[in-house]
mmCIF file of all heavy atoms in Angstrom:
data_model
loop_
_atom_site.group_PDB
_atom_site.id
_atom_site.type_symbol
_atom_site.label_atom_id
_atom_site.label_comp_id
_atom_site.label_asym_id
_atom_site.label_seq_id
_atom_site.Cartn_x
_atom_site.Cartn_y
_atom_site.Cartn_z
ATOM 1 N N MET A 1 -24.686 -24.515 -72.354
ATOM 2 C CA MET A 1 -23.756 -23.383 -72.507
ATOM 3 C C MET A 1 -22.388 -23.796 -71.879
ATOM 4 O O MET A 1 -21.334 -23.477 -72.477
ATOM 5 C CB MET A 1 -24.284 -22.150 -71.806
ATOM 6 C CG MET A 1 -23.411 -20.933 -72.038
ATOM 7 S SD MET A 1 -24.140 -19.417 -71.464
ATOM 8 C CE MET A 1 -23.692 -19.502 -69.727
ATOM 9 N N ILE A 2 -22.412 -24.449 -70.798
ATOM 10 C CA ILE A 2 -21.150 -24.852 -70.156
ATOM 11 C C ILE A 2 -20.425 -25.852 -70.980
ATOM 12 O O ILE A 2 -19.205 -25.813 -71.161
ATOM 13 C CB ILE A 2 -21.448 -25.408 -68.725
ATOM 14 C CG1 ILE A 2 -21.866 -24.268 -67.796
ATOM 15 C CG2 ILE A 2 -20.222 -26.139 -68.151
ATOM 16 C CD1 ILE A 2 -22.411 -24.738 -66.426
ATOM 17 N N ALA A 3 -21.167 -26.745 -71.598
ATOM 18 C CA ALA A 3 -20.498 -27.744 -72.471
ATOM 19 C C ALA A 3 -19.894 -27.093 -73.720
ATOM 20 O O ALA A 3 -18.762 -27.439 -74.105
ATOM 21 C CB ALA A 3 -21.538 -28.793 -72.931
ATOM 22 N N LYS A 4 -20.580 -26.108 -74.314
ATOM 23 C CA LYS A 4 -20.029 -25.371 -75.452
ATOM 24 C C LYS A 4 -18.834 -24.531 -75.030
ATOM 25 O O LYS A 4 -17.822 -24.533 -75.750
ATOM 26 C CB LYS A 4 -21.086 -24.475 -76.046
ATOM 27 C CG LYS A 4 -22.142 -25.212 -76.824
ATOM 28 C CD LYS A 4 -23.201 -24.282 -77.395
ATOM 29 C CE LYS A 4 -24.270 -25.031 -78.139
ATOM 30 N NZ LYS A 4 -25.265 -24.087 -78.700
ATOM 31 N N LEU A 5 -18.904 -23.891 -73.870
ATOM 32 C CA LEU A 5 -17.795 -23.082 -73.387
ATOM 33 C C LEU A 5 -16.570 -23.992 -73.172
ATOM 34 O O LEU A 5 -15.457 -23.677 -73.594
ATOM 35 C CB LEU A 5 -18.168 -22.392 -72.067
ATOM 36 C CG LEU A 5 -17.136 -21.579 -71.396
ATOM 37 C CD1 LEU A 5 -17.818 -20.393 -70.674
ATOM 38 C CD2 LEU A 5 -16.249 -22.340 -70.444
ATOM 39 N N THR A 6 -16.764 -25.109 -72.505
ATOM 40 C CA THR A 6 -15.652 -26.029 -72.249
ATOM 41 C C THR A 6 -15.007 -26.518 -73.517
ATOM 42 O O THR A 6 -13.803 -26.514 -73.643
ATOM 43 C CB THR A 6 -16.156 -27.223 -71.388
ATOM 44 O OG1 THR A 6 -16.760 -26.740 -70.215
ATOM 45 C CG2 THR A 6 -15.066 -28.201 -71.102
ATOM 46 N N SER A 7 -15.818 -26.947 -74.438
ATOM 47 C CA SER A 7 -15.305 -27.417 -75.713
ATOM 48 C C SER A 7 -14.523 -26.334 -76.481
ATOM 49 O O SER A 7 -13.426 -26.570 -76.938
ATOM 50 C CB SER A 7 -16.425 -27.988 -76.570
ATOM 51 O OG SER A 7 -15.942 -28.431 -77.766
ATOM 52 N N ALA A 8 -15.150 -25.168 -76.587
ATOM 53 C CA ALA A 8 -14.502 -24.102 -77.385
ATOM 54 C C ALA A 8 -13.194 -23.639 -76.743
ATOM 55 O O ALA A 8 -12.183 -23.458 -77.428
ATOM 56 C CB ALA A 8 -15.502 -22.920 -77.519
ATOM 57 N N CYS A 9 -13.242 -23.442 -75.436
ATOM 58 C CA CYS A 9 -12.032 -22.934 -74.722
ATOM 59 C C CYS A 9 -10.971 -23.982 -74.690
ATOM 60 O O CYS A 9 -9.767 -23.699 -74.806
ATOM 61 C CB CYS A 9 -12.389 -22.378 -73.396
ATOM 62 S SG CYS A 9 -13.391 -20.852 -73.434
ATOM 63 N N TRP A 10 -11.329 -25.222 -74.518
ATOM 64 C CA TRP A 10 -10.318 -26.357 -74.468
ATOM 65 C C TRP A 10 -9.623 -26.368 -75.834
ATOM 66 O O TRP A 10 -8.389 -26.437 -75.905
ATOM 67 C CB TRP A 10 -11.031 -27.632 -74.168
ATOM 68 C CG TRP A 10 -10.083 -28.787 -74.075
ATOM 69 C CD1 TRP A 10 -9.622 -29.605 -75.055
ATOM 70 C CD2 TRP A 10 -9.385 -29.246 -72.887
ATOM 71 N NE1 TRP A 10 -8.737 -30.502 -74.581
ATOM 72 C CE2 TRP A 10 -8.556 -30.308 -73.209
ATOM 73 C CE3 TRP A 10 -9.416 -28.815 -71.542
ATOM 74 C CZ2 TRP A 10 -7.775 -31.001 -72.310
ATOM 75 C CZ3 TRP A 10 -8.654 -29.472 -70.615
ATOM 76 C CH2 TRP A 10 -7.818 -30.548 -71.027
ATOM 77 N N ASP A 11 -10.393 -26.377 -76.919
ATOM 78 C CA ASP A 11 -9.795 -26.428 -78.241
ATOM 79 C C ASP A 11 -8.909 -25.272 -78.545
ATOM 80 O O ASP A 11 -7.859 -25.412 -79.204
ATOM 81 C CB ASP A 11 -10.884 -26.516 -79.317
ATOM 82 C CG ASP A 11 -11.633 -27.848 -79.287
ATOM 83 O OD1 ASP A 11 -11.163 -28.814 -78.636
ATOM 84 O OD2 ASP A 11 -12.699 -27.914 -79.867
ATOM 85 N N LYS A 12 -9.260 -24.106 -78.038
ATOM 86 C CA LYS A 12 -8.445 -22.904 -78.264
ATOM 87 C C LYS A 12 -7.220 -22.863 -77.415
ATOM 88 O O LYS A 12 -6.145 -22.427 -77.884
ATOM 89 C CB LYS A 12 -9.339 -21.697 -78.002
ATOM 90 C CG LYS A 12 -8.638 -20.324 -78.212
ATOM 91 C CD LYS A 12 -9.584 -19.196 -77.868
ATOM 92 C CE LYS A 12 -9.040 -17.830 -78.192
ATOM 93 N NZ LYS A 12 -7.724 -17.542 -77.884
ATOM 94 N N CYS A 13 -7.277 -23.283 -76.185
ATOM 95 C CA CYS A 13 -6.222 -23.023 -75.223
ATOM 96 C C CYS A 13 -5.269 -24.219 -74.948
ATOM 97 O O CYS A 13 -4.152 -23.976 -74.524
ATOM 98 C CB CYS A 13 -6.818 -22.553 -73.898
ATOM 99 S SG CYS A 13 -7.766 -21.046 -74.039
ATOM 100 N N ILE A 14 -5.754 -25.400 -75.100
ATOM 101 C CA ILE A 14 -4.954 -26.541 -74.755
ATOM 102 C C ILE A 14 -4.418 -27.136 -76.091
ATOM 103 O O ILE A 14 -5.125 -27.775 -76.838
ATOM 104 C CB ILE A 14 -5.711 -27.602 -73.999
ATOM 105 C CG1 ILE A 14 -6.459 -27.006 -72.778
ATOM 106 C CG2 ILE A 14 -4.802 -28.775 -73.556
ATOM 107 C CD1 ILE A 14 -5.524 -26.292 -71.816
ATOM 108 N N THR A 15 -3.141 -26.862 -76.337
ATOM 109 C CA THR A 15 -2.539 -27.246 -77.632
ATOM 110 C C THR A 15 -1.857 -28.589 -77.612
ATOM 111 O O THR A 15 -1.737 -29.238 -78.632
ATOM 112 C CB THR A 15 -1.553 -26.155 -78.092
ATOM 113 O OG1 THR A 15 -0.562 -26.011 -77.074
ATOM 114 C CG2 THR A 15 -2.246 -24.872 -78.323
ATOM 115 N N GLY A 16 -1.472 -29.031 -76.457
ATOM 116 C CA GLY A 16 -0.756 -30.335 -76.378
ATOM 117 C C GLY A 16 -1.509 -31.270 -75.463
ATOM 118 O O GLY A 16 -2.646 -31.027 -75.088
ATOM 119 N N THR A 17 -0.817 -32.305 -75.045
ATOM 120 C CA THR A 17 -1.445 -33.242 -74.118
ATOM 121 C C THR A 17 -1.263 -32.617 -72.685
ATOM 122 O O THR A 17 -0.154 -32.321 -72.312
ATOM 123 C CB THR A 17 -0.721 -34.577 -74.145
ATOM 124 O OG1 THR A 17 -0.769 -35.085 -75.437
ATOM 125 C CG2 THR A 17 -1.351 -35.578 -73.198
ATOM 126 N N PRO A 18 -2.388 -32.405 -71.980
ATOM 127 C CA PRO A 18 -2.277 -31.787 -70.677
ATOM 128 C C PRO A 18 -1.621 -32.708 -69.685
ATOM 129 O O PRO A 18 -1.775 -33.913 -69.699
ATOM 130 C CB PRO A 18 -3.736 -31.512 -70.282
ATOM 131 C CG PRO A 18 -4.514 -32.449 -71.087
ATOM 132 C CD PRO A 18 -3.763 -32.709 -72.333
ATOM 133 N N GLY A 19 -0.820 -32.101 -68.775
ATOM 134 C CA GLY A 19 -0.190 -32.830 -67.712
ATOM 135 C C GLY A 19 -1.108 -32.843 -66.536
ATOM 136 O O GLY A 19 -2.339 -32.694 -66.597
ATOM 137 N N SER A 20 -0.485 -32.950 -65.331
ATOM 138 C CA SER A 20 -1.297 -32.952 -64.098
ATOM 139 C C SER A 20 -1.821 -31.561 -63.717
ATOM 140 O O SER A 20 -2.760 -31.426 -62.973
ATOM 141 C CB SER A 20 -0.512 -33.539 -62.931
ATOM 142 O OG SER A 20 0.657 -32.751 -62.736
ATOM 143 N N LYS A 21 -1.155 -30.542 -64.314
ATOM 144 C CA LYS A 21 -1.580 -29.149 -64.129
ATOM 145 C C LYS A 21 -1.525 -28.393 -65.425
ATOM 146 O O LYS A 21 -0.698 -28.733 -66.310
ATOM 147 C CB LYS A 21 -0.666 -28.414 -63.125
ATOM 148 C CG LYS A 21 -0.699 -28.980 -61.705
ATOM 149 C CD LYS A 21 0.168 -28.171 -60.808
ATOM 150 C CE LYS A 21 0.075 -28.675 -59.364
ATOM 151 N NZ LYS A 21 0.906 -27.882 -58.433
ATOM 152 N N PHE A 22 -2.322 -27.345 -65.561
ATOM 153 C CA PHE A 22 -2.197 -26.457 -66.712
ATOM 154 C C PHE A 22 -1.036 -25.546 -66.551
ATOM 155 O O PHE A 22 -0.679 -25.144 -65.431
ATOM 156 C CB PHE A 22 -3.520 -25.652 -66.878
ATOM 157 C CG PHE A 22 -4.761 -26.414 -67.193
ATOM 158 C CD1 PHE A 22 -5.874 -26.274 -66.438
ATOM 159 C CD2 PHE A 22 -4.754 -27.297 -68.237
ATOM 160 C CE1 PHE A 22 -7.005 -26.983 -66.736
ATOM 161 C CE2 PHE A 22 -5.882 -28.012 -68.571
ATOM 162 C CZ PHE A 22 -7.018 -27.832 -67.821
ATOM 163 N N SER A 23 -0.402 -25.201 -67.654
ATOM 164 C CA SER A 23 0.624 -24.191 -67.621
ATOM 165 C C SER A 23 -0.021 -22.819 -67.275
ATOM 166 O O SER A 23 -1.204 -22.685 -67.426
ATOM 167 C CB SER A 23 1.357 -24.109 -68.970
ATOM 168 O OG SER A 23 0.574 -23.533 -69.941
ATOM 169 N N SER A 24 0.832 -21.835 -66.921
ATOM 170 C CA SER A 24 0.276 -20.524 -66.615
ATOM 171 C C SER A 24 -0.383 -19.961 -67.877
ATOM 172 O O SER A 24 -1.444 -19.287 -67.758
ATOM 173 C CB SER A 24 1.332 -19.616 -66.075
ATOM 174 O OG SER A 24 2.380 -19.422 -67.005
ATOM 175 N N GLY A 25 0.192 -20.167 -69.048
ATOM 176 C CA GLY A 25 -0.398 -19.661 -70.300
ATOM 177 C C GLY A 25 -1.730 -20.305 -70.568
ATOM 178 O O GLY A 25 -2.667 -19.652 -71.024
ATOM 179 N N GLU A 26 -1.841 -21.656 -70.345
ATOM 180 C CA GLU A 26 -3.107 -22.290 -70.559
ATOM 181 C C GLU A 26 -4.178 -21.853 -69.574
ATOM 182 O O GLU A 26 -5.319 -21.609 -69.967
ATOM 183 C CB GLU A 26 -2.902 -23.845 -70.420
ATOM 184 C CG GLU A 26 -2.091 -24.463 -71.531
ATOM 185 C CD GLU A 26 -1.701 -25.910 -71.243
ATOM 186 O OE1 GLU A 26 -1.604 -26.295 -70.061
ATOM 187 O OE2 GLU A 26 -1.504 -26.647 -72.233
ATOM 188 N N SER A 27 -3.753 -21.695 -68.316
ATOM 189 C CA SER A 27 -4.733 -21.242 -67.314
ATOM 190 C C SER A 27 -5.260 -19.824 -67.674
ATOM 191 O O SER A 27 -6.460 -19.563 -67.552
ATOM 192 C CB SER A 27 -4.057 -21.186 -65.926
ATOM 193 O OG SER A 27 -3.783 -22.458 -65.497
ATOM 194 N N SER A 28 -4.324 -18.950 -68.064
ATOM 195 C CA SER A 28 -4.722 -17.587 -68.432
ATOM 196 C C SER A 28 -5.637 -17.609 -69.663
ATOM 197 O O SER A 28 -6.642 -16.900 -69.667
ATOM 198 C CB SER A 28 -3.456 -16.782 -68.664
ATOM 199 O OG SER A 28 -3.804 -15.467 -69.093
ATOM 200 N N CYS A 29 -5.267 -18.412 -70.600
ATOM 201 C CA CYS A 29 -6.093 -18.516 -71.825
ATOM 202 C C CYS A 29 -7.484 -19.019 -71.500
ATOM 203 O O CYS A 29 -8.513 -18.473 -71.970
ATOM 204 C CB CYS A 29 -5.397 -19.406 -72.859
ATOM 205 S SG CYS A 29 -6.348 -19.611 -74.376
ATOM 206 N N LEU A 30 -7.555 -20.081 -70.705
ATOM 207 C CA LEU A 30 -8.862 -20.634 -70.336
ATOM 208 C C LEU A 30 -9.753 -19.580 -69.570
ATOM 209 O O LEU A 30 -10.954 -19.505 -69.841
ATOM 210 C CB LEU A 30 -8.718 -21.870 -69.486
ATOM 211 C CG LEU A 30 -8.195 -23.108 -70.232
ATOM 212 C CD1 LEU A 30 -7.771 -24.181 -69.185
ATOM 213 C CD2 LEU A 30 -9.293 -23.654 -71.158
ATOM 214 N N SER A 31 -9.128 -18.883 -68.688
ATOM 215 C CA SER A 31 -9.846 -17.871 -67.936
ATOM 216 C C SER A 31 -10.385 -16.757 -68.838
ATOM 217 O O SER A 31 -11.578 -16.403 -68.734
ATOM 218 C CB SER A 31 -8.940 -17.279 -66.849
ATOM 219 O OG SER A 31 -9.644 -16.286 -66.134
ATOM 220 N N HIS A 32 -9.517 -16.248 -69.700
ATOM 221 C CA HIS A 32 -9.973 -15.170 -70.601
ATOM 222 C C HIS A 32 -10.999 -15.674 -71.571
ATOM 223 O O HIS A 32 -11.979 -14.964 -71.837
ATOM 224 C CB HIS A 32 -8.753 -14.617 -71.354
ATOM 225 C CG HIS A 32 -7.838 -13.740 -70.533
ATOM 226 N ND1 HIS A 32 -6.646 -14.226 -70.062
ATOM 227 C CD2 HIS A 32 -8.007 -12.516 -70.040
ATOM 228 C CE1 HIS A 32 -6.089 -13.301 -69.336
ATOM 229 N NE2 HIS A 32 -6.902 -12.258 -69.260
ATOM 230 N N CYS A 33 -10.801 -16.890 -72.075
ATOM 231 C CA CYS A 33 -11.772 -17.437 -73.034
ATOM 232 C C CYS A 33 -13.154 -17.585 -72.337
ATOM 233 O O CYS A 33 -14.154 -17.193 -72.917
ATOM 234 C CB CYS A 33 -11.281 -18.817 -73.522
ATOM 235 S SG CYS A 33 -12.389 -19.611 -74.669
ATOM 236 N N ALA A 34 -13.189 -18.094 -71.131
ATOM 237 C CA ALA A 34 -14.439 -18.279 -70.440
ATOM 238 C C ALA A 34 -15.135 -16.952 -70.159
ATOM 239 O O ALA A 34 -16.349 -16.811 -70.330
ATOM 240 C CB ALA A 34 -14.204 -19.016 -69.124
ATOM 241 N N HIS A 35 -14.333 -15.972 -69.762
ATOM 242 C CA HIS A 35 -14.944 -14.591 -69.532
ATOM 243 C C HIS A 35 -15.518 -14.028 -70.799
ATOM 244 O O HIS A 35 -16.576 -13.481 -70.782
ATOM 245 C CB HIS A 35 -13.925 -13.653 -68.909
ATOM 246 C CG HIS A 35 -13.676 -13.896 -67.473
ATOM 247 N ND1 HIS A 35 -12.599 -14.621 -66.971
ATOM 248 C CD2 HIS A 35 -14.402 -13.510 -66.377
ATOM 249 C CE1 HIS A 35 -12.696 -14.638 -65.662
ATOM 250 N NE2 HIS A 35 -13.779 -13.981 -65.267
ATOM 251 N N ARG A 36 -14.761 -14.147 -71.884
ATOM 252 C CA ARG A 36 -15.273 -13.618 -73.177
ATOM 253 C C ARG A 36 -16.573 -14.366 -73.592
ATOM 254 O O ARG A 36 -17.473 -13.738 -74.082
ATOM 255 C CB ARG A 36 -14.243 -13.729 -74.276
ATOM 256 C CG ARG A 36 -13.153 -12.671 -74.199
ATOM 257 C CD ARG A 36 -12.281 -12.650 -75.453
ATOM 258 N NE ARG A 36 -11.725 -13.937 -75.831
ATOM 259 C CZ ARG A 36 -10.570 -14.423 -75.401
ATOM 260 N NH1 ARG A 36 -9.832 -13.747 -74.586
ATOM 261 N NH2 ARG A 36 -10.170 -15.614 -75.788
ATOM 262 N N TYR A 37 -16.561 -15.635 -73.419
ATOM 263 C CA TYR A 37 -17.701 -16.475 -73.819
ATOM 264 C C TYR A 37 -18.916 -16.054 -73.007
ATOM 265 O O TYR A 37 -20.034 -15.860 -73.570
ATOM 266 C CB TYR A 37 -17.399 -17.963 -73.585
ATOM 267 C CG TYR A 37 -18.409 -18.860 -74.195
ATOM 268 C CD1 TYR A 37 -18.244 -19.423 -75.456
ATOM 269 C CD2 TYR A 37 -19.551 -19.223 -73.459
ATOM 270 C CE1 TYR A 37 -19.182 -20.242 -76.003
ATOM 271 C CE2 TYR A 37 -20.472 -20.107 -74.030
ATOM 272 C CZ TYR A 37 -20.289 -20.637 -75.304
ATOM 273 O OH TYR A 37 -21.225 -21.445 -75.834
ATOM 274 N N MET A 38 -18.747 -15.898 -71.714
ATOM 275 C CA MET A 38 -19.884 -15.485 -70.864
ATOM 276 C C MET A 38 -20.345 -14.075 -71.191
ATOM 277 O O MET A 38 -21.572 -13.806 -71.241
ATOM 278 C CB MET A 38 -19.463 -15.570 -69.375
ATOM 279 C CG MET A 38 -19.166 -16.994 -68.877
ATOM 280 S SD MET A 38 -20.564 -18.102 -69.070
ATOM 281 C CE MET A 38 -21.649 -17.465 -67.805
#
């Protein structure tokens, strides 16, 4: 389940090449995506 969540949310939220930190939009998207998935 964690592997599927990671893959699905990464594909949805990370649109470019990630830097050393996620942008606030990416962080928010990942958090919301994970909560919805769970």
Side-chain angles (χ1 to χ4, degrees):
M1 187 174 81
I2 290 168
K4 286 180 181 180
L5 179 147
T6 302
S7 178
C9 292
W10 184 271
D11 291 345
K12 180 180 186 318
C13 299
I14 309 302
T15 56
T17 304
S20 61
K21 293 183 178 180
F22 294 127
S23 70
S24 62
E26 291 170 333
S27 293
S28 177
C29 180
L30 287 168
S31 178
H32 287 105
C33 180
H35 282 99
R36 282 193 308 270
Y37 191 93
M38 295 300 290

